[in-house]
Amino acid sequence: MSASLMNPSEAPATLPPPRKSRKIPGWAVGALGVAGAVVLLSTTSYLTGVPQLTSTGTIQTAVRLALPILLAALGGLWAERAGVVNIGLEGMMIMGTWGAAWGGYQWGPWAALVSAAAFGALGGLLHAVATVTFGVNHIVSGVAINLVGAGLTKYLSTLIFFPLSNNPRESPAVPKFDTYSAAGLSDWLGRLEAEQRVGLSDVAGILRGLVTGVSPLTMLAVVLVVGSYLVLWRTRFGLRLRSCGENPVAAESLGVNVYLYKYVAVIGSGALAGIGGAALVLNPGQPGYLEGQTNGRGYIGLAALIFGNWRPGGLLGGSALFGYADGLQLRSGGATFLALVYGAVLLLAVIVVWQLVRRRWFAAAGSVVAAAALYAVYYSVDEVPSELTTYAPHLVTLVVLAAASQRLRMPAADGVVYRRG
Amino acid sequence: MSTTTPAVVLSGITKRFPGVVANSDVHLSVQVGEVHALCGENGAGKSTLMKILYGMQQPDEGAIEVGGRQVRFRTPADAIKAGIGMVHQHFMLADNLTVQENVVLGAESLHGIGGKARRRIQELAKSTGLTVDPDVLVERLGVADRQRVEILKVLYRGARVIILDEPTAVLVPQEVDELFATLRAMREQGFTFLFISHKLDEVRSIADSVTVIRRGTTVGTADPKAVSSRELAEMMVGSELPSPETRESTVTDRVVLRVEDLGLVAEEGTRPVLDHIDLVVRAGEVVGIAGVEGNGQTELVETIMGMRRAHHGRVLLGDRDLTRAGTLARREAGIGYVPEDRHRQGLLLTQPLWANRILGYQTRKPTARGAWLDLPGAKEDTERIVAEFDVRTPGIDVAAAALSGGNQQKLVVGRELSGDPALLIASHPTRGVDVGAQALIWDEIKKARARGLAVLLISADLDELIGLSDTIKVMLRGRLVADADPATVTPEDLGSAMTGAGAGGVGPGGATAADAPAAVEVEGD
Amino acid sequence: MGILRGKLLPPVLAILFSALLCGVALLVSGANPLRAFGAMVSQVGQGTTAVDIVNSTGTYYIAALAVAIGFQMNLFNIGVEGQYRVAAVVAAVVGGSIVLPPGIHTLVIILTAAVVGALWAAIPAVLKVTRGVNEVISTIMMNGLALGLAAYLIGDDVFGELRGNNIRTPEIPESGWVPGIPLGSSGTVFGLVFLAAALGIGYWVMMNRTRFGFELRASGESSTAAAAGGVSAKKMIMIAMLLSGGIAGLVSMPEILGRDHTYNLNFPAGIGFSGIAIALLGRNHPGGIALGALLWAFLDKSGLALDNVGVPREIVTIMQGAIVLSVVVAYEVVRRVELAAEQRRVGRELGTVGAA
Amino acid sequence: KDTGGNNTGSGTDNAEGCKLAAKPPAAAATSSAAASGEKVDGSALKVGLAYDIGGRGDASFNDSAAAGLDKAQADFGIKPENLKELTAAPNEPEDAKQTRLRQLASEGYNPIIGVGFAYAESLGVVAPEFPDVEFAIVDGAVEGAANVTPLLFAEEQGSFLAGVIAAYQSKSCHVGFVGGVEIPLIKKFDAGFEQGAKTAAPDIKIERKYLTPAGDFTGFQDPAKGQEAATGQIESGADVLYHAAGASGKGVFSAAKAGNALAIGVDSDQYNQTTVAESKDVIISSMLKRVDVAVYDFVGAVAKDDLASLPEVFDLSVDGVGYSTTGGKIDADLQAVLEGYKAQIIKGEIDVKDSL
Ligand SMILES: Nc1ncnc2c1ncn2[C@@H]1O[C@H](COP(=O)(O)OP(=O)(O)OP(=O)(O)O)[C@@H](O)[C@H]1O
Ligand SMILES: Nc1ncnc2c1ncn2[C@@H]1O[C@H](COP(=O)(O)OP(=O)(O)OP(=O)(O)O)[C@@H](O)[C@H]1O
Ligand SMILES: [Mg+2]
Ligand SMILES: [Mg+2]
């Protein structure tokens, strides 16, 4: 056979040169997202004449409602970054609510936090024993822990709270934290908000919502989010922990004690979920522990985690979205909620432009159809039926996941049972 | 040499697994500053021995000496402390972490995880020639780069004794040469290597001494310069080395598989993974595809099998157009498929052998009747395969996981040759299979070919490819770029074509341009 | 005997362990565990408890089968909860607004329930197949939406009608009812308990004797191997989810057609979650699930007797959770022991390896 | 640090109260119902109570029933060992309720009271099985069962008065209603409240929010949501809130306290409840639903064997519903107004609708 080899010019140069790890840093993406959301909301608020979308009160509500979800999601982050799926967050959260009431009733709110964390951690320990030591399927163990958590707290309340509160399903009232406001700033923002100036007042309302009536718990949650980021991504401990979620065999071969890190992560996860429970109990409107008060928030936390692509900033966004959607529907009902539909139309319009620029004709057409459908809803209805608004956060989650799921990347060994040797 | 203290001495190592003695009374002595090769069949116990030395497994008996001092390693961390590092047979990297993170993992106490660590990595890279960008995610690296990261990992921990378990299995010859250059340079700097490979030529070219392991125990140590590959092989197996070669041609002119202008686009981007592939396989012909892993061979096979949807182009079996058919329909039309990863794609590991016989044949006789399974039929036919293909198993009711890799592979090949397929697509049919099973599989493929079977063979083992194929095509970046004649081509020629080395330094790590190798012909002008 | 040890030992151990655990809990709280367990056992003979247990076993059984079909291919249908609720409302509405000859009427209602359940499950299935949305999350969300939809449908300006302080769908005429087996003062066994049994048999046949069952199991064990064997994972996900949803749709049929004849505000919740636990208990095996459902129903119903002896009934929930957890741990331990034994056996029978 | 209530944005004092409709004519001195001179002897009775979810101690209507039972026990001389109380679990299936009732009946309890409309269906089944036992059901009625006495309340009438109170106390002429779950029972509260407020102040603005739709009973159990809904109403300008939201109402109180608004409790005199003690100063009144009176009267009537003496509906005329004045926020003027409206309702001059 002849001995010619290919002509250099013919070499198909289809492989792109290895790209740099990330073009835009994560924090910039987050900042852009937040800015985009603010612009979208204030535009919607202006066009629909519904100031509640960005009012201080709405934001405060969103923060309060997001808090337990955020903490649960953070708990999920720790476990799943170490490779353990934690669907038992709900159960750990329930244990946290009980612990918070028990500790808080006796020794005050700080003790409530500690005791909630301890009770949550107990649930985490159980999950760790089952999944790490015994290699039980993570979902199975999580389901069981949800059962055990609910049963245990009911049982303990009957024994311990009943004599105090006369009600087996409720604790006596638990003392709460005082709240704090950045007084001068808050007032100034309040004046700005009251002026009803386009954009400016919206931003002022949102900011004011974030600096007014802040509970130490909120601050703690912020610290925990930032702290989780720093610990998981900036320390050797975090590197080792994440390596257990990415490739435990490799980690073990490099001398990382995978079992130990998984244990620490899952127990920490439970503690965070427990604090999420405490956030419910220590909520100003809540007398104390109340059976069933978590009401699926642990699952929602899990959704926020996935929504946030297993990153602290992302899950913060996910919880905020949940808190916001829920807060809006609770505070202002269907009419205001309809404004959000309008906002969705605006968002879709932006997406269509983007898709046209990127020459994705089919996707653009799909978005146009969706936008038209939503606009038709907006146009023809005065108020979204309450049956729908109540579960709007669920719907929003579904829609967002449907749109974004393919971009999500979970830790490579998440949910995989790891056995040493 | 003999007066200095050896770097590592293993004496009387015995390791038992449930049902298997992986190592029994192994003795091994490695001198400082040498490349010491370890050879043996599949399952001879090489990896196990190295894992013991690296502290990943505990020996049941025996002693380890490092630098003249008796040691006991309970974890890899202990071994690392003693200056031992290991590059595993299968890469041990976390894809979603950066190179730097992978390197410093577990050794953070040396230089932290920040700038200092990064400077140290760059320093090491410079001194050894193992250059990689510390900030890139490992998932973006090719195999050769991953290998560099693995070695960097070991060096970063200050290892002086480095275990390399089959480091060349996934590399093309040019990359092997590069690796060897690095090893030689490092040997000059006083590093000691324990080197495992099935490729005896390589062993002879790099090693200073070689120890052969057979059935878990050391057979002896030899000077690689003084023995031939054949002699080494006979030490390993105690018999003649089988050869894949098939000389007499059985090629007919009846086209069985015709692939026309096949294209596939990667899911996210627009980069074509398969680019205008045209291919013909005739009855009685074995067409081999050579290529560095990741250049589209897997995708080609999976597209022909209907597991991926082609973007454009056609796939015809005989004169039947299968472009729109699903995998099952293609199988029913007469395609047998030996997948590249038997554990992931070939077998249901926890199911009994007879259930594995049904897989892929769930609509056909003798394993099914209509919508119903024919369990007696399936069992009977499984017995047949076990007998014909010499599958070593206590019965057909044991789970597939209980068989050794070679026996699992024989079962898969036996299944895929059942029911008279017109075409067999075999991806790495003998990967990780020991010599005996390898010979049997080659034999069966040859027999079927003689009966008129068309075979599309993908293999990383260039000797196998050259030996079995009637035609070889070289695949590079999703395209078939060259043809080669197995009668004349050498593995080195193929290797150049596979890396595109002839095209001027586009190979990973900037392989230098080689002269146009003989017997490799550019496809399409 | 080996099978017996592998399959039966773990649950028995788990139940004993959980009983022990709860016994200790009871002791700590100052109650007499023997008296508590005694009360539970003797409750079975009281009133209609025995029949209630049977009825409830049927309901749980259907729910667990629905979950198990998903489990067979590692699909976690947490959404049984929502599927049976939506199916129940729609089936009750349809059943209450049409008149058909007996038998046919019943059949139409049951089919409606199955179809609606399947459709409700189709949403997460489509999302998973086309958009890669994790079904655990999407089905949890769908459960919330199911509550909303059901609430909307029974609104008194939609399909519901007011009955005192309750709202319910129009009552299903007698032609749609499924007669039960009256056992006098011990109650009436729902006719559709036999539907549950039939579903179980069908499930067994499907899983073990049909091509579809094989493909389902293959996908569950290894989606990659199944794909190479010509089983389309996406298709299997769709079918398994639809089937699971369809069966889930039947969960409340025994009660609605056998007793309530309407969907009202007292509709029970949580059966889907129990179904998950029971499917786990029964290891997705129809026989195992039956035993699990029976155990669950027994704990549920006889737990009511605990009030009589002054023990908090919640101990039963703890026990259920503990059983699930310890049963999976027990299975895992036994599995490991058996795998090692199997490998030893293979090694011995071959007698080849390592004996150098 | 924040102290006390903070400023709550828009909509406070733009108007100092509503333009009120003409006050109703002053009522004649109310006649205290039923001179309870005769001594009733209930020492032979064995009374069984089946609570709804929450049970004794729920600080709501179960507790109210418990209070009635306690009073009956003391007044009629019922022996403590002849009392038995059982409680429903959340989401339990229908047969659990039946078992509970049957358990009581077969142990010889007579009368037996089912607390909550959820018992209607099960009483329909169980009552005919025990024709000699006297049953009663709070908030419900069972057709065709002669031995089930319905204990129904005119919640809308009491809520009407709550609406009047709200109208008179509102400075912004803007009030709010927070309902727990959007079920017919709660809608009665809503309807009465709106009618009362509108009657007293035709221009009044009314906010309305239900926490969850029918069928999702978590709305009675989520103070966090109650609080947020109430806060939203306060920020829209409402300054007197009325709730019918069970445990979620606690959140309403705390929101009212934080937002310098006032609140009206429900069912029992919530001013005195310990769990809301922190915010009791904002509770100006509570709409009383005298389940205790109904239970007490029913037990008394059984003891006297005079069921006919019970009213068909416990309404304002028999003080079956009413309002509390604990805390001193209802001054004499307002009381006169309320008594005036009450008299008009009793006389039938005002017809309070039970739905919007
Ligand atoms: N963890 C384990 N449990 C049980 N058996 C094992 C285990 N690891 C290895 N073995 C057995 O020990 C024997 C030696 O395996 P080992 O991996 O050391 O072989 P090897 O020489 O490295 O083979 P190869 O060339 O395929 O890499 C094999 O028969 C294998 O079945
Ligand atoms: N971690 C393990 N636990 C239990 N058994 C194992 C383990 N690893 C290997 N084995 C057993 O070792 C035998 C073969 O394993 P091994 O991986 O060495 O095969 P192989 O021939 O090298 O095939 P492959 O190259 O595909 O890995 C099987 O019997 C398998 O069950
Ligand atoms: Mg090896
Ligand atoms: Mg191997």
Side-chain angles (χ1 to χ4, degrees), chain B residues 42-43 47 89-90 166 342 432:
Chain B
N42 280 130
S47 298
Q89 188 169 356
H90 306 285
E166 297 198 34
R342 58 177 165 273

Side-chain angles (χ1 to χ4, degrees), chain C residues 38 110 129 137 191 197 261-262 268-269 307:
Chain C
I110 291 179
V129 168
I137 298 301
H261 311 136
T262 173
D307 288 333

Side-chain angles (χ1 to χ4, degrees), chain B residues 106-129:
Chain B
E108 304 89 344
S109 51
L110 295 175
H111 311 284
I113 63 170
K116 229 171 98 196
R118 167 209 219 76
R119 276 193 297 282
R120 173 72 188 140
I121 293 173
Q122 279 158 343
E123 220 172 273
L124 275 175
K126 197 133 103 251
S127 69
T128 55

Side-chain angles (χ1 to χ4, degrees), chain D residues 23-266:
Chain D
K23 290 184 176 146
T30 43
S31 59
S32 154
S36 50
E38 54 183 309
K39 178 90 176 93
V40 179
D41 179 22
S43 55
L45 293 182
K46 280 180 83 178
V47 185
L49 223 68
Y51 292 113
D52 202 348
I53 307 163
R56 181 185 276 268
D58 75 339
S60 182
F61 81 125
N62 284 305
D63 226 9
S64 191
L69 185 68
D70 292 346
K71 185 158 185 283
Q73 186 209 332
D75 287 4
F76 307 146
I78 305 168
K79 296 191 198 78
E81 65 269 23
N82 282 346
L83 292 180
K84 181 151 182 171
E85 301 163 49
L86 298 175
T87 306
N91 296 328
E92 66 180 13
E94 191 64 36
D95 57 42
K97 295 194 173 62
Q98 294 181 9
T99 301
R100 191 168 300 116
L101 295 169
R102 229 175 250 124
Q103 201 170 317
L104 291 169
S106 48
E107 285 172 26
Y109 289 91
N110 186 4
I112 294 169
I113 305 167
V115 183
F117 71 85
Y119 281 100
E121 312 278 332
S122 30
L123 272 173
V125 176
V126 177
E129 294 171 10
F130 300 92
D132 300 334
V133 177
E134 284 301 340
F135 293 92
I137 174 163
V138 174
D139 278 347
V142 179
E143 279 166 35
N147 57 338
V148 182
T149 308
L151 304 174
L152 295 167
F153 296 85
E155 292 91 352
E156 65 281 6
Q157 294 184 356
S159 301
F160 182 97
L161 298 183
V164 174
I165 296 174
Y168 273 79
Q169 296 277 323
S170 172
K171 295 198 175 69
S172 58
C173 199
H174 192 161
V175 298
F177 171 78
V178 177
V181 182
E182 195 167 1
I183 52 175
L185 182 63
I186 302 302
K187 287 183 176 171
K188 283 162 88 176
F189 291 83
D190 187 2
F193 179 72
E194 169 156 350
Q195 204 180 337
K198 286 253 161 82
T199 307
D203 299 332
I204 200 162
K205 268 177 78 179
I206 303 176
E207 302 285 327
R208 166 182 303 111
K209 178 72 199 172
Y210 290 95
L211 299 181
T212 53
D216 180 355
F217 287 94
T218 59
F220 287 135
Q221 287 296 316
D222 208 328
K225 287 191 169 173
Q227 184 197 14
E228 301 309 346
T231 309
Q233 296 187 346
I234 293 169
E235 283 171 24
S236 320
D239 62 354
V240 183
L241 304 183
Y242 175 47
H243 87 86
S248 306
K250 292 164 188 170
V252 176
F253 292 142
S254 103
K257 177 152 173 104
N260 290 334
L262 300 172
I264 302 173
V266 77

Side-chain angles (χ1 to χ4, degrees), chain A residues 306-327:
Chain A
I306 294 176
F307 182 97
N309 199 12
W310 289 269
R311 302 198 124 255
L315 64 86
L316 185 64
S319 324
L321 179 71
F322 235 95
Y324 180 77
D326 208 13

